[in-house]
Amino acid sequence: MGTLTGRGMLVQSGDCYYITEQGRDFMGKLQAKFRQPQTV
């Protein structure tokens, strides 16, 4: 978790972690890159 908080993708408040806007952007890029094609 230290890597994600250190890069500004998460913030920690007490025992909880919250995603930042930068983290949401990175998550979207990963999802787009690894999205599986839909089969019908």
Side-chain angles (χ1 to χ4, degrees):
M1 298 301 273
T3 299
L4 295 172
T5 56
R7 292 183 179 217
M9 295 184 196
L10 296 176
V11 293
Q12 184 178 11
S13 178
D15 291 336
C16 298
Y17 290 89
Y18 300 94
I19 194 166
T20 63
E21 191 61 38
Q22 182 178 348
R24 288 183 200 281
D25 182 51
F26 183 69
M27 183 175 65
K29 290 176 183 176
L30 286 176
Q31 287 174 335
K33 182 172 183 164
F34 294 105
R35 184 168 287 130
Q36 297 294 321
Q38 297 291 328
T39 58
V40 178

